[in-house]
Amino acid sequence: MRILPILPFVICLMACSLEDELSKSSGTKLLSVAYTNKDESWVENYSYSPDSRLNTVEDLRLSGRRYELTYQNGKIQKVATYSMDVNELIFQDSIIYNPTGSIQKVYNFSINAGEDLALTWIYEFDYDSGNKVSQKSTYLVPTKEYTSIEKYYWNKNNIERTDHYNGKGELHYEYFYTYDNKVNYKKGLPLSITDPVSWSENNVTAMNWKDYYGNLDLICRPCVATYKYNLDHYPVEIKYNWGRTLKLTYE
């Protein structure tokens, strides 16, 4: 009769022990990310070459994708995206660099533009005098027009604000970011290569926004993330206030 009241305590104790184990772990090489989002869950696995270069990322959802990386002179040259169910190449990003090593352009080829991979999008990046990205322009190749321009404003090594304009230069949205003081696990990952906010030094803890166009319908305002870290100051657990949780493992 006295077992039932003890069960919640035992379950809580087990959960707390797991969280303590994560926090007491170490490592900086990301191996996997386990996602839980309400009634669905999936895992993303990261594989490396013998010299510790990231080679493959596999999203293990039923409709998941596999990302294969090609390098040249120590930098990512190409990211090929395959559908996991039929093993078909559906996207490819080719990266062009400036002499300083920063990304100049990303050419996106897509199967959506025809039977073969056709050049669909071009992302162009501009930088300030300190070699921090200041603007991204998005060019749609089939229509031969710029569809959006994003401008970035830095506070030390983190982007604290982005302004989003349409192709005509009209301001539609502003986004505002706050950060922790730990290592940004997304920095340098290929899935974030066209998102300069992910190039920041630290992890985003909150994002707020202003909508000047009147059509922005995000799930949260502000969008808040809480973190647990390992001994090397990398996130091992991320909880978002809109319902998603990430568990990260490292080596």
Side-chain angles (χ1 to χ4, degrees):
M1 296 294 296
R2 303 175 68 181
I3 294 177
L4 288 178
I6 295 175
L7 279 176
F9 171 76
V10 173
I11 293 171
C12 178
L13 185 62
M14 292 173 63
C16 292
S17 298
L18 178 59
E19 289 183 2
D20 288 342
E21 184 178 340
L22 286 171
S23 299
K24 293 177 181 178
S25 65
S26 60
T28 60
K29 182 195 294 184
L30 183 63
L31 298 181
S32 67
V33 182
Y35 295 82
T36 303
N37 188 32
K38 296 181 180 178
D39 57 349
E40 65 173 338
S41 60
W42 68 95
V43 176
E44 205 171 66
N45 287 330
Y46 294 73
S47 302
Y48 297 82
S49 66
D51 60 355
S52 294
R53 279 186 183 170
L54 180 62
N55 277 346
T56 307
V57 181
E58 291 185 319
D59 179 342
L60 299 181
R61 282 178 280 192
L62 289 176
S63 59
R65 296 172 177 177
R66 183 178 72 257
Y67 306 89
E68 296 184 356
L69 283 67
T70 303
Y71 292 84
Q72 186 174 25
N73 299 323
K75 292 185 174 295
I76 299 173
Q77 180 189 36
K78 182 173 67 176
V79 180
T81 304
Y82 295 83
S83 59
M84 292 283 284
D85 51 353
V86 295
N87 196 34
E88 179 183 18
L89 180 63
I90 54 176
F91 303 112
Q92 180 175 294
D93 289 336
S94 296
I95 299 99
I96 306 299
Y97 295 89
N98 292 309
T100 58
S102 58
I103 297 174
Q104 181 187 91
K105 294 181 181 181
V106 176
Y107 293 93
N108 174 259
F109 299 82
S110 171
I111 198 172
N112 296 329
E115 291 185 5
D116 299 322
L117 290 182
L119 179 60
T120 307
W121 299 95
I122 301 175
Y123 303 101
E124 303 172 358
F125 299 89
D126 296 313
Y127 297 82
D128 62 19
S129 58
N131 203 34
K132 285 185 167 66
V133 63
S134 58
Q135 181 172 296
K136 180 177 81 172
S137 303
T138 302
Y139 183 78
L140 181 57
V141 175
T143 61
K144 298 180 180 179
E145 63 179 347
Y146 286 94
T147 60
S148 67
I149 295 172
E150 300 173 18
K151 295 185 178 182
Y152 305 99
Y153 301 89
W154 292 77
N155 182 3
K156 296 181 179 178
N157 292 320
N158 293 319
I159 293 174
E160 64 178 359
R161 188 181 106 224
T162 63
D163 292 350
H164 289 239
Y165 300 81
N166 65 7
K168 299 177 181 179
E170 299 166 335
L171 178 62
H172 280 191
Y173 320 111
E174 283 183 309
Y175 296 93
F176 306 89
Y177 304 92
T178 56
Y179 294 83
D180 62 11
N181 61 352
K182 301 297 192 295
V183 180
N184 176 15
Y185 81 98
K186 289 184 178 181
K187 189 175 182 180
L189 292 180
L191 307 190
S192 307
I193 204 160
T194 60
D195 177 21
V197 173
S198 298
W199 305 356
S200 294
E201 192 71 26
N202 305 118
N203 302 284
V204 174
T205 58
M207 185 274 288
N208 215 329
W209 44 274
K210 291 182 179 179
D211 178 8
Y212 298 101
Y213 190 62
N215 69 340
L216 198 57
D217 186 22
L218 301 185
I219 197 171
C220 48
R221 186 177 191 183
C223 300
V224 177
T226 56
Y227 295 82
K228 294 183 184 297
Y229 308 93
N230 67 12
L231 298 177
D232 289 308
H233 308 297
Y234 278 74
V236 292
E237 181 184 86
I238 308 171
K239 289 187 176 181
Y240 295 96
N241 66 335
W242 45 270
R244 177 173 290 182
T245 299
L246 280 61
K247 302 276 190 179
L248 301 92
T249 59
Y250 303 85
E251 180 180 82

